[in-house]
Amino acid sequence: LLGEMGRLEESVPFFLESTRLNRYDFWSFSNLSLALKKLGRAGEAVVYGKVAARLNPKDSLNQTNLCLALAHLDRLPEAELRCRTALQLNPTSAAAHANLGAVLGAQGAIMEATLQYREALNFSPESADFLGALGVLLGRQGHFHEAAAAFESAIRQKPHSSELHNNLGFAREGQGRIADAIEHYQEALRLNPV
């Protein structure tokens, strides 16, 4: 309950006590791992997430959370394995597809990462985050028209995102549409003048 109220730091001692009292309770370990991950304590999150995975290896959400924590620690091959495990358990998980896309992209597998983001969007077509990430990957491959379309769709969901406007500016520049690029760069600066 404390975690749901945004009081994660206060919830950690309770989760720790729960794991001590219930050494075989998957939810105690999984919830502790999730709270630690959200607090930026990825190393600890991995430890407790792995215990949870041993207690219940068929929970795709815990595998996805482990993927994120491992990626945060730059343990990308292990993160990839956890994402792939999550997808074997739940092939329709948009988050698992997107997380695998992020891990693959960080490893330089841009085309496969792009496919994973496209798959994530099949299950969550309105996700501005997934659209933005797909746009970045498409732009890295020189597919500026498709990248611009992804950024435009994302901006419809998040019109005040300076990052999305900046990225759309980059895509428009790649298309040779300099006036449009400048317009979006200026909007990005207006939204985030720092």
Side-chain angles (χ1 to χ4, degrees):
L1 188 59
L2 288 171
E4 291 173 12
M5 295 170 37
R7 296 165 56 188
L8 288 174
E9 196 68 54
E10 294 174 63
S11 72
V12 170
F14 292 103
F15 287 138
L16 279 168
E17 182 65 9
S18 180
T19 61
R20 189 185 68 75
L21 295 172
N22 306 298
R23 294 180 313 160
Y24 301 103
D25 180 44
F26 162 77
W27 290 110
S28 295
F29 286 93
S30 182
N31 287 332
L32 176 58
S33 176
L34 182 59
L36 291 167
K37 181 182 73 68
K38 287 181 178 179
L39 288 168
R41 294 162 59 180
E44 294 169 271
V46 167
V47 170
Y48 291 103
K50 284 184 173 184
V51 173
R54 280 195 298 278
L55 292 170
N56 183 1
K58 296 192 182 289
D59 187 85
S60 66
L61 183 58
N62 185 62
Q63 296 289 344
T64 299
N65 290 333
L66 264 171
C67 168
L68 289 172
L70 289 160
H72 184 77
L73 295 172
D74 207 30
R75 292 166 55 182
L76 298 176
E78 193 176 353
E80 179 183 344
L81 177 64
R82 292 297 178 167
C83 283
R84 290 190 187 281
T85 300
L87 284 170
Q88 287 174 346
L89 297 167
N90 183 2
T92 63
S93 169
H97 281 288
N99 293 335
L100 178 56
V103 168
L104 291 168
Q107 294 180 93
I110 303 304
M111 290 178 67
E112 191 178 353
T114 302
L115 293 174
Q116 289 301 321
Y117 274 107
R118 288 187 193 281
E119 196 65 26
L121 285 162
N122 284 335
F123 301 111
S124 185
E126 299 300 316
S127 171
D129 293 334
F130 300 167
L131 286 162
L134 176 62
V136 168
L137 290 167
L138 290 166
R140 287 175 67 183
Q141 296 171 71
H143 302 298
F144 297 115
H145 181 74
E146 285 183 89
F151 293 132
E152 287 173 339
S153 294
I155 287 171
R156 282 194 287 279
Q157 304 302 316
K158 286 184 168 179
H160 303 294
S161 169
S162 62
E163 180 181 5
L164 290 172
H165 280 283
N166 185 66
N167 288 342
L168 180 53
F170 172 79
R172 291 293 185 223
E173 189 176 342
Q175 290 179 291
R177 294 175 57 180
I178 304 306
D180 288 340
I182 290 170
E183 181 181 322
H184 285 284
Y185 288 141
Q186 287 174 334
E187 180 64 7
L189 286 170
R190 186 189 70 75
L191 291 167
N192 187 9
V194 178

